Amino acid sequence: MSNCLLWFRKDLRLFDNPSLLKAAKYEKTFPIFIFDESLYEYNKIGSASLWWLENSLNKLKERLNNKLLILKGDSLDLITKLISELEIEAVFWNRCYEPDRILKDKKIKNILINNNINVETSNATLLWEPWKIKNKSGNFYKVFTPFYKRGCLEAASPRLALDSPKNLTLDICEKSNFPYYQFKYFNKINHWSIKLKKYWTTGEEEAQNRLNYFLKEGAKNYSEGRNYPSKKIVSRLSPHLHWGEISPFQVWNKCKNEMSGNNKDTFLSELAWREFSYYLLFHFPKINSDNLKSNFNYFKWDDNAQNIELWQKGKTGYPIVDAGMRELWETGYMHNRSRMVTSSFLVKNLLSHWKHGEKWFWDCLVDADLASNSASWQWVAGTGTDAAPFFRIFNPITQAEKFDKNADYIRRFVPELAKLPNKYIFSPWTASDTILSDANIKLGKDYPKPVIDYQFSRNRALETFKNLRKNSI
């Protein structure tokens, strides 16, 4: 066999890459990546995600001996041109599951097959294909627990990870008539590159290191410890998984073998939540834009622009909320407990539509993922298929007292409150003027007063939801 194209997408790795193994059987492999702005993910890519992608592609290119061709343009147009110029006989890629990608992939595959090109696609992204998991009546699940326990766990176990190819002959198209995608931030100072490189290292090697570190340090107390944002218990593998720098099959099997008890069960179920998000995206392609519970189309959102901006900047006056939002802006990441608290505050206390939060997270998160981000926001807002009910409202004060007992997380990201005693740091407005003065704090100047009264906002949210239910009957 002669020449083949290997199309990298969200599989930026060599280990456990089934399409790479298929390409290795050919005499020459031409690896490519296409930044296709006709696709939502690239057209609307967030700043933090773009930083990650660009750096990850650089790492992959190095591992491929600088043979990776990074292109910008329409996937179909560029692939057909390459096939003609390079006398390509086969094209390999790993499947993606976003609705626009599925449509475009089908179009590309049909055109190539009609032109006698061998096309093979593989699953390198999900443990279970979303169209294969069905309930007893043959329909898809709408609730996570039965999806996972009766659907996934009773289906075939995820396959084992595949080795990297031993022999791979790579080449690169040296023609000059292809528009190379120039990295937007390459060799340019910007707020994301300066900040994120302090907290993150991209690439396959780092993903492997992070998995091993988690299994050594965090996995032994994961079930309980994952709830505390100041502790280094969570894996922080999400951005690596999103861009495919590490395989979910490797993570699943390695953690299944090396973890035990509740820690293992809890972590595997978290991986399954990622699967469920893609499952929902596959069956509800408009999950990113439409309420899955259509009665919420008539919900009376407040959408106060000033309040939304204060939430984005971490200036709500609620320390645990502000700590989470500042962690996001500083590091491109937010602990899961903080994600639940901050998102509940936006949707329920500020009564802002979940799309405002979804868009902000999409732009700021290094692990921004269309499926997980959309499904998670609908879960918090109570608008999803298997969502927390709208009347479940996180109390930012008691959440902080329980999960940041010593205020380590708050003091790290809201340093202006560092000198406040623990008794008052979770609700600074309850401190006397003397206590505030001793801590060098003047509310409204050094730290904001609460953007809204918690009890008032809770009652307002419940009343709005009550009226929605009345009108829906």
Side-chain angles (χ1 to χ4, degrees):
M1 291 186 285
S2 188
N3 299 344
C4 74
L5 271 186
L6 173 60
W7 183 13
F8 282 96
R9 288 119 68 80
K10 297 169 80 169
D11 52 352
L12 307 182
R13 65 178 184 270
L14 304 187
F15 183 71
D16 193 22
N17 191 324
S19 288
L20 181 66
L21 286 169
K22 292 176 181 178
K25 298 176 182 177
Y26 281 69
E27 291 178 14
K28 275 188 182 180
T29 297
F30 291 84
I32 63 171
F33 178 91
I34 301 173
F35 192 90
D36 186 344
E37 291 181 304
S38 71
L39 297 172
Y40 180 90
E41 181 153 28
Y42 299 132
N43 185 266
K44 301 293 185 182
I45 191 166
S47 301
S49 291
L50 181 58
W51 176 87
W52 190 287
L53 172 61
E54 290 167 346
N55 285 275
S56 184
L57 284 171
N58 277 333
K59 294 288 181 65
L60 178 63
K61 191 172 183 177
E62 289 175 7
R63 291 175 69 86
L64 294 172
N65 298 318
N66 291 317
K67 298 296 185 181
L68 177 65
L69 184 63
I70 302 170
L71 301 170
K72 179 180 180 180
D74 183 83
S75 306
L76 175 59
D77 180 49
L78 291 171
I79 288 173
T80 52
K81 285 180 180 178
L82 284 168
I83 284 172
S84 174
E85 263 189 61
L86 303 175
E87 299 180 348
I88 296 295
E89 296 180 2
V91 180
F92 302 104
W93 71 75
N94 293 313
R95 290 188 285 277
C96 293
Y97 298 87
E98 294 80 2
D100 57 349
R101 285 182 183 265
I102 292 174
L103 291 174
K104 190 146 196 176
D105 285 0
K106 286 181 179 178
K107 183 178 180 181
I108 294 172
K109 189 173 184 179
N110 289 335
I111 289 175
L112 296 183
I113 290 174
N114 289 337
N115 284 277
N116 298 315
I117 302 297
N118 177 36
V119 180
E120 293 186 43
T121 66
S122 305
N123 174 19
T125 304
L126 296 179
L127 301 171
W128 295 278
E129 298 281 24
W131 54 84
K132 289 186 176 180
I133 304 298
K134 297 179 180 179
N135 58 27
K136 292 182 179 180
S137 62
N139 297 316
F140 61 89
Y141 290 97
K142 296 181 180 179
V143 178
F144 171 74
T145 300
F147 160 81
Y148 178 46
K149 293 187 175 179
R150 295 203 295 269
C152 299
L153 295 183
E154 292 183 6
S157 298
R159 63 167 173 77
L160 299 177
L162 308 169
D163 288 330
S164 304
K166 291 185 171 51
N167 297 306
L168 183 65
T169 304
L170 300 175
D171 207 340
I172 188 170
C173 176
E174 300 291 355
K175 307 270 177 153
S176 60
N177 59 334
F178 288 103
Y180 282 79
Y181 174 61
Q182 299 298 320
F183 290 154
K184 183 178 179 183
Y185 297 140
F186 190 59
N187 290 330
K188 180 180 177 182
I189 296 176
N190 67 93
H191 74 277
W192 282 115
S193 64
I194 293 171
K195 291 193 297 185
L196 297 185
K197 67 183 180 183
K198 293 193 301 183
Y199 299 99
W200 298 97
T201 300
T202 63
E204 181 175 10
E205 183 178 358
E206 175 63 16
Q208 297 291 337
N209 291 339
R210 193 167 287 280
L211 174 60
N212 291 331
Y213 178 83
F214 168 67
L215 287 170
K216 181 180 178 181
E217 300 295 334
K220 61 186 99 173
N221 189 33
Y222 180 79
S223 178
E224 176 63 21
R226 70 192 181 104
N227 286 305
Y228 300 90
S230 65
K231 297 182 179 181
K232 296 182 178 180
I233 300 296
V234 295
S235 72
R236 292 170 69 91
L237 283 169
S238 50
H240 299 287
L241 281 166
H242 173 73
W243 290 112
E245 295 174 343
I246 194 168
S247 155
F249 299 95
Q250 181 192 7
V251 176
W252 174 275
N253 285 299
K254 197 170 178 64
C255 291
K256 186 176 181 180
N257 292 334
E258 297 186 25
M259 294 177 73
S260 61
N262 288 336
N263 295 317
K264 177 174 73 173
D265 294 341
T266 303
F267 185 79
L268 294 183
S269 71
E270 288 300 308
L271 287 177
W273 269 106
R274 176 178 180 269
E275 297 285 314
F276 188 55
S277 296
Y278 274 94
Y279 186 80
L280 291 176
L281 178 65
F282 182 81
H283 292 287
F284 296 101
K286 293 185 178 181
I287 190 175
N288 182 245
S289 58
D290 296 357
N291 297 315
L292 298 187
K293 291 181 180 177
S294 58
N295 62 317
F296 272 89
N297 295 342
Y298 306 99
F299 192 83
K300 300 297 183 182
W301 302 104
D302 181 45
D303 287 342
N304 182 297
Q306 183 178 2
N307 288 349
I308 294 170
E309 184 178 357
L310 291 173
W311 174 82
Q312 292 172 340
K313 293 181 177 180
K315 295 183 178 181
T316 67
Y318 287 88
I320 193 68
V321 175
D322 294 341
M325 298 308 296
R326 295 186 196 185
E327 179 190 21
L328 173 63
W329 185 248
E330 171 66 22
T331 71
Y333 179 85
M334 194 194 297
H335 188 277
N336 188 59
R337 172 59 55 177
S338 303
R339 294 190 197 202
M340 291 191 290
V341 174
T342 58
S343 52
S344 175
F345 188 84
L346 176 72
V347 173
K348 297 174 181 178
N349 298 104
L350 297 184
L351 221 58
S352 298
H353 196 291
W354 60 266
K355 277 297 295 182
H356 295 293
E358 182 274 328
K359 288 178 181 178
W360 187 252
F361 275 28
W362 176 262
D363 190 50
C364 298
L365 283 170
V366 290
D367 63 5
D369 182 278
L370 184 67
S372 296
N373 198 35
S374 303
S376 296
W377 274 98
Q378 294 233 32
W379 182 86
V380 168
T383 62
T385 58
D386 182 18
F390 188 86
F391 52 80
R392 182 187 181 193
I393 302 173
F394 284 88
N395 184 321
I397 303 165
T398 56
Q399 285 286 307
E401 290 172 341
K402 183 175 181 180
F403 297 111
D404 193 27
K405 187 176 181 180
N406 294 318
D408 295 328
Y409 181 68
I410 289 173
R411 287 191 171 93
R412 178 183 176 188
F413 290 105
V414 192
E416 61 266 41
L417 298 179
K419 293 183 180 180
L420 267 182
N422 284 359
K423 182 178 179 180
Y424 301 104
I425 197 170
F426 308 115
S427 51
W429 61 91
T430 63
S432 68
D433 291 341
T434 301
I435 292 173
L436 289 170
S437 179
D438 289 344
N440 297 321
I441 297 169
K442 183 175 182 180
L443 288 183
K445 180 183 177 183
D446 303 303
Y447 184 72
K449 296 178 181 179
V451 64
I452 199 168
D453 177 76
Y454 172 73
Q455 196 58 50
F456 163 79
S457 65
R458 174 182 168 81
N459 293 339
R460 180 182 65 163
L462 294 176
E463 186 64 25
T464 307
F465 180 63
K466 181 180 177 181
N467 291 335
L468 173 69
R469 294 181 67 192
K470 284 181 181 178
N471 294 331
S472 301
I473 295 176

